[in-house]
Amino acid sequence: MRDTVQAEVVMTFLVSEELSFRIPVELGYDSSDPYAVKFTFHLPGDAPVTWAFARELLLDGLSQPSGEGDVHIAPASSQHLSDVFIRLQVGGEGALFRAGAAPLVAFLDRTDRVAPLGEERTVADFDYELAAALDSILAGNPEGQNAG
C-alpha cells in the first residue's frame, strides 16, 4: 500500500541581506520512497522547483547544522527551536530559505506515522521492486514499461 503525506508551508526566500520575500512551499512524502522528502518551491515568475533529500537530514537539521553537498539545514537559533535555515546549492549558485520549525516538525510527525524513522525498509517492498526492475532490464525494457 502506498501512503503519502503533503503539507504546505510559507518560507522566506532570503535573496540578500536587504531583500527577502515569502513563498509557498509544498512538502511531500511518499511511502514508495520512504527515505526522502520533497520540497516544491513556488518562486514568483518561475516554474515550480522540486528538491528531494533525506528525511533524516530534515530531522537532524532542526536541532543542529546538518548536510553535506547540495542541501544544508541548520537551526536559526541555538537557544530554542523556532526557525531553521535551508540552503540549497547547485554549483556556484545557491538559495537560502528560512522556515518555521513547527510546521516542519508537524510534517515529519505525519511522515513518521506512515513510516517510522529507522523502519523505512519495512514500508517499501524493495526486494519486489528490485526484482521487477531487474526483470524489466533483462527483458530488454530498461524504461520499466510493460511490453504488450
Side-chain angles (χ1 to χ4, degrees):
M1 182 167 92
R2 182 175 160 181
D3 291 316
T4 61
V5 175
Q6 299 197 339
E8 186 171 305
V9 299
V10 175
M11 294 185 185
T12 302
F13 178 28
L14 303 166
V15 179
S16 68
E17 287 188 29
E18 299 84 28
L19 178 62
S20 66
F21 52 93
R22 296 167 60 82
I23 61 167
V25 179
E26 294 173 27
L27 311 180
Y29 177 79
D30 190 323
S31 63
S32 67
D33 188 5
Y35 294 98
V37 293
K38 291 183 179 179
F39 281 41
T40 301
F41 297 89
H42 296 274
L43 300 169
D46 285 333
V49 176
T50 300
W51 280 71
F53 52 90
R55 178 171 63 149
E56 192 169 354
L57 171 62
L58 179 59
L59 177 64
D60 291 346
L62 293 172
S63 60
Q64 63 188 5
S66 301
E68 296 178 15
D70 297 341
V71 180
H72 296 265
I73 303 173
S77 168
S78 61
Q79 279 73 33
H80 58 282
L81 181 65
S82 60
D83 287 350
V84 295
F85 289 114
I86 300 172
R87 177 176 298 283
L88 306 174
Q89 190 82 27
V90 177
E93 300 292 320
L96 180 63
F97 300 89
R98 186 176 186 136
L104 299 178
V105 168
F107 172 72
L108 286 170
D109 182 57
R110 291 176 52 212
T111 69
D112 195 58
R113 289 185 218 146
V114 171
L117 280 161
E119 297 179 26
E120 292 91 349
R121 184 146 172 73
T122 63
V123 173
D125 192 349
F126 289 112
D127 294 332
Y128 171 78
E129 291 180 27
L130 178 60
L134 287 173
D135 286 346
S136 179
I137 291 169
L138 293 174
N141 191 9
E143 299 289 322
Q145 306 280 329
N146 289 333

